[in-house]
PDB file of all heavy atoms in Angstrom:
ATOM      1  N   GLN D   1      21.372 -27.076   1.634  1.00 98.00           N
ATOM      2  CA  GLN D   1      20.685 -28.340   1.433  1.00 98.00           C
ATOM      3  C   GLN D   1      20.269 -28.457  -0.029  1.00 98.00           C
ATOM      4  O   GLN D   1      19.480 -27.655  -0.520  1.00 98.00           O
ATOM      5  CB  GLN D   1      19.466 -28.455   2.339  1.00 98.00           C
ATOM      6  CG  GLN D   1      18.809 -29.817   2.307  1.00 98.00           C
ATOM      7  CD  GLN D   1      17.805 -30.002   3.431  1.00 98.00           C
ATOM      8  OE1 GLN D   1      17.276 -29.032   3.966  1.00 98.00           O
ATOM      9  NE2 GLN D   1      17.566 -31.240   3.797  1.00 98.00           N
ATOM     10  N   ALA D   2      20.823 -29.449  -0.700  1.00 97.00           N
ATOM     11  CA  ALA D   2      20.478 -29.737  -2.077  1.00 97.00           C
ATOM     12  C   ALA D   2      19.289 -30.689  -2.110  1.00 97.00           C
ATOM     13  O   ALA D   2      19.039 -31.415  -1.143  1.00 97.00           O
ATOM     14  CB  ALA D   2      21.668 -30.343  -2.806  1.00 97.00           C
ATOM     15  N   PRO D   3      18.543 -30.721  -3.213  1.00 91.00           N
ATOM     16  CA  PRO D   3      17.395 -31.620  -3.311  1.00 91.00           C
ATOM     17  C   PRO D   3      17.773 -33.071  -3.047  1.00 91.00           C
ATOM     18  O   PRO D   3      18.727 -33.585  -3.631  1.00 91.00           O
ATOM     19  CB  PRO D   3      16.917 -31.422  -4.753  1.00 91.00           C
ATOM     20  CG  PRO D   3      17.367 -30.047  -5.108  1.00 91.00           C
ATOM     21  CD  PRO D   3      18.684 -29.871  -4.410  1.00 91.00           C
ATOM     22  N   GLY D   4      17.038 -33.724  -2.152  1.00 94.00           N
ATOM     23  CA  GLY D   4      17.275 -35.116  -1.840  1.00 94.00           C
ATOM     24  C   GLY D   4      18.478 -35.392  -0.967  1.00 94.00           C
ATOM     25  O   GLY D   4      18.820 -36.557  -0.751  1.00 94.00           O
ATOM     26  N   LYS D   5      19.134 -34.358  -0.466  1.00 95.00           N
ATOM     27  CA  LYS D   5      20.325 -34.535   0.356  1.00 95.00           C
ATOM     28  C   LYS D   5      20.140 -33.898   1.728  1.00 95.00           C
ATOM     29  O   LYS D   5      19.268 -33.063   1.929  1.00 95.00           O
ATOM     30  CB  LYS D   5      21.548 -33.934  -0.336  1.00 95.00           C
ATOM     31  CG  LYS D   5      21.903 -34.595  -1.656  1.00 95.00           C
ATOM     32  CD  LYS D   5      23.162 -34.003  -2.256  1.00 95.00           C
ATOM     33  CE  LYS D   5      23.527 -34.685  -3.556  1.00 95.00           C
ATOM     34  NZ  LYS D   5      24.763 -34.113  -4.153  1.00 95.00           N
ATOM     35  N   ASP D   6      20.981 -34.319   2.666  1.00 96.00           N
ATOM     36  CA  ASP D   6      20.950 -33.751   4.005  1.00 96.00           C
ATOM     37  C   ASP D   6      21.540 -32.348   4.014  1.00 96.00           C
ATOM     38  O   ASP D   6      22.347 -31.982   3.156  1.00 96.00           O
ATOM     39  CB  ASP D   6      21.731 -34.631   4.981  1.00 96.00           C
ATOM     40  CG  ASP D   6      21.095 -35.976   5.214  1.00 96.00           C
ATOM     41  OD1 ASP D   6      19.863 -36.083   5.078  1.00 96.00           O
ATOM     42  OD2 ASP D   6      21.830 -36.931   5.540  1.00 96.00           O
ATOM     43  N   ARG D   7      21.132 -31.570   5.007  1.00 96.00           N
ATOM     44  CA  ARG D   7      21.721 -30.262   5.184  1.00 96.00           C
ATOM     45  C   ARG D   7      23.191 -30.395   5.582  1.00 96.00           C
ATOM     46  O   ARG D   7      23.540 -31.209   6.440  1.00 96.00           O
ATOM     47  CB  ARG D   7      20.947 -29.482   6.249  1.00 96.00           C
ATOM     48  CG  ARG D   7      21.385 -28.039   6.408  1.00 96.00           C
ATOM     49  CD  ARG D   7      20.431 -27.276   7.308  1.00 96.00           C
ATOM     50  NE  ARG D   7      19.084 -27.220   6.744  1.00 96.00           N
ATOM     51  CZ  ARG D   7      18.083 -26.545   7.289  1.00 96.00           C
ATOM     52  NH1 ARG D   7      18.267 -25.869   8.413  1.00 96.00           N
ATOM     53  NH2 ARG D   7      16.886 -26.564   6.714  1.00 96.00           N
ATOM     54  N   GLU D   8      24.049 -29.609   4.959  1.00 97.00           N
ATOM     55  CA  GLU D   8      25.470 -29.717   5.216  1.00 97.00           C
ATOM     56  C   GLU D   8      26.079 -28.370   5.591  1.00 97.00           C
ATOM     57  O   GLU D   8      25.621 -27.308   5.168  1.00 97.00           O
ATOM     58  CB  GLU D   8      26.208 -30.303   4.003  1.00 97.00           C
ATOM     59  CG  GLU D   8      26.170 -29.430   2.763  1.00 97.00           C
ATOM     60  CD  GLU D   8      27.011 -29.977   1.623  1.00 97.00           C
ATOM     61  OE1 GLU D   8      27.860 -30.857   1.863  1.00 97.00           O
ATOM     62  OE2 GLU D   8      26.816 -29.519   0.473  1.00 97.00           O
ATOM     63  N   PHE D   9      27.130 -28.451   6.362  1.00 98.00           N
ATOM     64  CA  PHE D   9      27.866 -27.276   6.796  1.00 98.00           C
ATOM     65  C   PHE D   9      28.607 -26.652   5.630  1.00 98.00           C
ATOM     66  O   PHE D   9      29.173 -27.353   4.787  1.00 98.00           O
ATOM     67  CB  PHE D   9      28.857 -27.679   7.893  1.00 98.00           C
ATOM     68  CG  PHE D   9      29.874 -26.627   8.218  1.00 98.00           C
ATOM     69  CD1 PHE D   9      29.538 -25.537   9.004  1.00 98.00           C
ATOM     70  CD2 PHE D   9      31.165 -26.715   7.732  1.00 98.00           C
ATOM     71  CE1 PHE D   9      30.474 -24.559   9.309  1.00 98.00           C
ATOM     72  CE2 PHE D   9      32.110 -25.757   8.030  1.00 98.00           C
ATOM     73  CZ  PHE D   9      31.755 -24.675   8.817  1.00 98.00           C
ATOM     74  N   VAL D  10      28.621 -25.326   5.588  1.00 98.00           N
ATOM     75  CA  VAL D  10      29.347 -24.589   4.555  1.00 98.00           C
ATOM     76  C   VAL D  10      30.459 -23.746   5.162  1.00 98.00           C
ATOM     77  O   VAL D  10      31.625 -23.867   4.781  1.00 98.00           O
ATOM     78  CB  VAL D  10      28.404 -23.693   3.732  1.00 98.00           C
ATOM     79  CG1 VAL D  10      29.202 -22.857   2.729  1.00 98.00           C
ATOM     80  CG2 VAL D  10      27.360 -24.530   3.016  1.00 98.00           C
ATOM     81  N   ALA D  11      30.108 -22.872   6.113  1.00 98.00           N
ATOM     82  CA  ALA D  11      31.092 -21.962   6.683  1.00 98.00           C
ATOM     83  C   ALA D  11      30.612 -21.463   8.033  1.00 98.00           C
ATOM     84  O   ALA D  11      29.412 -21.446   8.315  1.00 98.00           O
ATOM     85  CB  ALA D  11      31.350 -20.773   5.748  1.00 98.00           C
ATOM     86  N   ALA D  12      31.548 -21.051   8.874  1.00 97.00           N
ATOM     87  CA  ALA D  12      31.216 -20.507  10.183  1.00 97.00           C
ATOM     88  C   ALA D  12      32.195 -19.409  10.549  1.00 97.00           C
ATOM     89  O   ALA D  12      33.337 -19.380  10.067  1.00 97.00           O
ATOM     90  CB  ALA D  12      31.241 -21.606  11.253  1.00 97.00           C
ATOM     91  N   ILE D  13      31.750 -18.513  11.409  1.00 96.00           N
ATOM     92  CA  ILE D  13      32.584 -17.419  11.886  1.00 96.00           C
ATOM     93  C   ILE D  13      32.245 -17.144  13.346  1.00 96.00           C
ATOM     94  O   ILE D  13      31.078 -17.181  13.737  1.00 96.00           O
ATOM     95  CB  ILE D  13      32.395 -16.155  11.002  1.00 96.00           C
ATOM     96  CG1 ILE D  13      33.421 -15.081  11.347  1.00 96.00           C
ATOM     97  CG2 ILE D  13      30.969 -15.621  11.116  1.00 96.00           C
ATOM     98  CD1 ILE D  13      33.480 -13.964  10.299  1.00 96.00           C
ATOM     99  N   GLU D  14      33.280 -16.914  14.164  1.00 94.00           N
ATOM    100  CA  GLU D  14      33.035 -16.600  15.556  1.00 94.00           C
ATOM    101  C   GLU D  14      32.525 -15.165  15.684  1.00 94.00           C
ATOM    102  O   GLU D  14      32.641 -14.371  14.753  1.00 94.00           O
ATOM    103  CB  GLU D  14      34.288 -16.838  16.412  1.00 94.00           C
ATOM    104  CG  GLU D  14      35.587 -16.271  15.847  1.00 94.00           C
ATOM    105  CD  GLU D  14      35.765 -14.793  16.129  1.00 94.00           C
ATOM    106  OE1 GLU D  14      35.177 -14.295  17.106  1.00 94.00           O
ATOM    107  OE2 GLU D  14      36.496 -14.132  15.382  1.00 94.00           O
ATOM    108  N   TRP D  15      31.991 -14.834  16.854  1.00 89.00           N
ATOM    109  CA  TRP D  15      31.268 -13.562  16.968  1.00 89.00           C
ATOM    110  C   TRP D  15      32.143 -12.337  16.754  1.00 89.00           C
ATOM    111  O   TRP D  15      31.641 -11.274  16.362  1.00 89.00           O
ATOM    112  CB  TRP D  15      30.518 -13.475  18.301  1.00 89.00           C
ATOM    113  CG  TRP D  15      31.352 -13.384  19.559  1.00 89.00           C
ATOM    114  CD1 TRP D  15      31.640 -14.400  20.422  1.00 89.00           C
ATOM    115  CD2 TRP D  15      31.963 -12.208  20.104  1.00 89.00           C
ATOM    116  NE1 TRP D  15      32.398 -13.939  21.474  1.00 89.00           N
ATOM    117  CE2 TRP D  15      32.607 -12.598  21.303  1.00 89.00           C
ATOM    118  CE3 TRP D  15      32.026 -10.874  19.708  1.00 89.00           C
ATOM    119  CZ2 TRP D  15      33.315 -11.687  22.102  1.00 89.00           C
ATOM    120  CZ3 TRP D  15      32.731  -9.975  20.499  1.00 89.00           C
ATOM    121  CH2 TRP D  15      33.361 -10.379  21.678  1.00 89.00           C
ATOM    122  N   GLY D  16      33.442 -12.457  17.003  1.00 88.00           N
ATOM    123  CA  GLY D  16      34.327 -11.336  16.783  1.00 88.00           C
ATOM    124  C   GLY D  16      34.603 -11.041  15.323  1.00 88.00           C
ATOM    125  O   GLY D  16      35.101  -9.960  14.993  1.00 88.00           O
ATOM    126  N   GLY D  17      34.291 -11.985  14.441  1.00 88.00           N
ATOM    127  CA  GLY D  17      34.428 -11.764  13.007  1.00 88.00           C
ATOM    128  C   GLY D  17      35.810 -12.012  12.443  1.00 88.00           C
ATOM    129  O   GLY D  17      36.110 -11.560  11.334  1.00 88.00           O
ATOM    130  N   THR D  18      36.663 -12.748  13.162  1.00 90.00           N
ATOM    131  CA  THR D  18      38.018 -12.994  12.710  1.00 90.00           C
ATOM    132  C   THR D  18      38.252 -14.451  12.322  1.00 90.00           C
ATOM    133  O   THR D  18      38.622 -14.742  11.193  1.00 90.00           O
ATOM    134  CB  THR D  18      39.033 -12.585  13.789  1.00 90.00           C
ATOM    135  OG1 THR D  18      38.897 -11.191  14.077  1.00 90.00           O
ATOM    136  CG2 THR D  18      40.458 -12.855  13.315  1.00 90.00           C
ATOM    137  N   ASN D  19      38.042 -15.372  13.251  1.00 95.00           N
ATOM    138  CA  ASN D  19      38.284 -16.790  12.989  1.00 95.00           C
ATOM    139  C   ASN D  19      37.146 -17.397  12.179  1.00 95.00           C
ATOM    140  O   ASN D  19      35.971 -17.135  12.453  1.00 95.00           O
ATOM    141  CB  ASN D  19      38.461 -17.545  14.304  1.00 95.00           C
ATOM    142  CG  ASN D  19      39.685 -17.095  15.065  1.00 95.00           C
ATOM    143  OD1 ASN D  19      40.712 -16.780  14.486  1.00 95.00           O
ATOM    144  ND2 ASN D  19      39.576 -17.069  16.396  1.00 95.00           N
ATOM    145  N   THR D  20      37.506 -18.216  11.195  1.00 97.00           N
ATOM    146  CA  THR D  20      36.519 -18.818  10.307  1.00 97.00           C
ATOM    147  C   THR D  20      36.814 -20.294  10.094  1.00 97.00           C
ATOM    148  O   THR D  20      37.920 -20.770  10.344  1.00 97.00           O
ATOM    149  CB  THR D  20      36.495 -18.114   8.943  1.00 97.00           C
ATOM    150  OG1 THR D  20      37.802 -18.178   8.352  1.00 97.00           O
ATOM    151  CG2 THR D  20      36.089 -16.657   9.097  1.00 97.00           C
ATOM    152  N   ALA D  21      35.801 -21.014   9.621  1.00 97.00           N
ATOM    153  CA  ALA D  21      35.942 -22.419   9.256  1.00 97.00           C
ATOM    154  C   ALA D  21      35.123 -22.680   8.008  1.00 97.00           C
ATOM    155  O   ALA D  21      34.069 -22.066   7.805  1.00 97.00           O
ATOM    156  CB  ALA D  21      35.491 -23.327  10.396  1.00 97.00           C
ATOM    157  N   TYR D  22      35.601 -23.601   7.167  1.00 98.00           N
ATOM    158  CA  TYR D  22      34.942 -23.901   5.904  1.00 98.00           C
ATOM    159  C   TYR D  22      34.886 -25.395   5.660  1.00 98.00           C
ATOM    160  O   TYR D  22      35.787 -26.145   6.058  1.00 98.00           O
ATOM    161  CB  TYR D  22      35.672 -23.246   4.732  1.00 98.00           C
ATOM    162  CG  TYR D  22      35.707 -21.741   4.785  1.00 98.00           C
ATOM    163  CD1 TYR D  22      36.775 -21.073   5.361  1.00 98.00           C
ATOM    164  CD2 TYR D  22      34.668 -20.990   4.251  1.00 98.00           C
ATOM    165  CE1 TYR D  22      36.809 -19.690   5.421  1.00 98.00           C
ATOM    166  CE2 TYR D  22      34.697 -19.602   4.308  1.00 98.00           C
ATOM    167  CZ  TYR D  22      35.769 -18.961   4.889  1.00 98.00           C
ATOM    168  OH  TYR D  22      35.796 -17.588   4.943  1.00 98.00           O
ATOM    169  N   ALA D  23      33.832 -25.818   4.971  1.00 98.00           N
ATOM    170  CA  ALA D  23      33.794 -27.170   4.460  1.00 98.00           C
ATOM    171  C   ALA D  23      34.858 -27.327   3.380  1.00 98.00           C
ATOM    172  O   ALA D  23      35.162 -26.379   2.640  1.00 98.00           O
ATOM    173  CB  ALA D  23      32.419 -27.488   3.885  1.00 98.00           C
ATOM    174  N   ASP D  24      35.433 -28.529   3.279  1.00 98.00           N
ATOM    175  CA  ASP D  24      36.472 -28.767   2.282  1.00 98.00           C
ATOM    176  C   ASP D  24      35.983 -28.472   0.865  1.00 98.00           C
ATOM    177  O   ASP D  24      36.756 -28.024   0.016  1.00 98.00           O
ATOM    178  CB  ASP D  24      36.970 -30.202   2.373  1.00 98.00           C
ATOM    179  CG  ASP D  24      37.786 -30.466   3.624  1.00 98.00           C
ATOM    180  OD1 ASP D  24      38.270 -29.496   4.239  1.00 98.00           O
ATOM    181  OD2 ASP D  24      37.949 -31.652   3.983  1.00 98.00           O
TER     182      ASP D  24
END
């Protein structure tokens, strides 16, 4: 979350630690 902006997604990982997702 940057000043004056909404909280945004950055990255995620499933519990097994293999599959990931990222913001563009």
Side-chain angles (χ1 to χ4, degrees):
Q1 187 167 24
K5 297 183 179 180
D6 293 333
R7 186 171 298 184
E8 65 175 344
F9 168 78
V10 176
I13 189 167
E14 47 82 25
W15 67 259
T18 300
N19 296 324
T20 58
Y22 298 93
D24 289 341

